[in-house]
Amino acid sequence: MANEDLTLQDVRKMAADVGMTHLNEEHLQELLRSTRAARARRAALATGALTYADEPSHVFSLTGGASS
């Protein structure tokens, strides 16, 4: 779905699908703007050649700072 095609009603349905049923009109407008921005950014990324090695990884340790 193109950004121009995304409507407030679409966003209302998306929000309801994930349980966000108590949003007011202002919140829905914010969600519409942010969804459009996220889609535009995602469309600008060249992701066709990405592999699993391109995914950043984060390593956390529960040892409390002691390394062995």
Side-chain angles (χ1 to χ4, degrees):
M1 178 181 294
N3 270 345
E4 298 80 32
D5 297 337
L6 189 64
T7 66
L8 191 59
Q9 191 61 28
D10 295 331
V11 171
R12 184 177 281 113
K13 183 182 178 329
M14 288 177 4
D17 288 346
V18 296
M20 299 171 66
T21 58
H22 298 292
L23 298 179
N24 62 32
E25 287 300 309
E26 182 180 348
H27 293 138
L28 289 168
Q29 289 290 342
E30 280 185 45
L31 187 55
L32 176 61
R33 286 191 305 273
S34 63
T35 302
R36 284 179 174 166
R39 287 182 177 187
R41 289 183 185 118
R42 184 176 48 213
L45 294 175
T47 58
L50 292 180
T51 65
Y52 289 116
D54 296 316
E55 179 72 26
S57 75
H58 305 282
V59 178
F60 299 95
S61 175
L62 298 176
T63 61
S67 59
S68 44

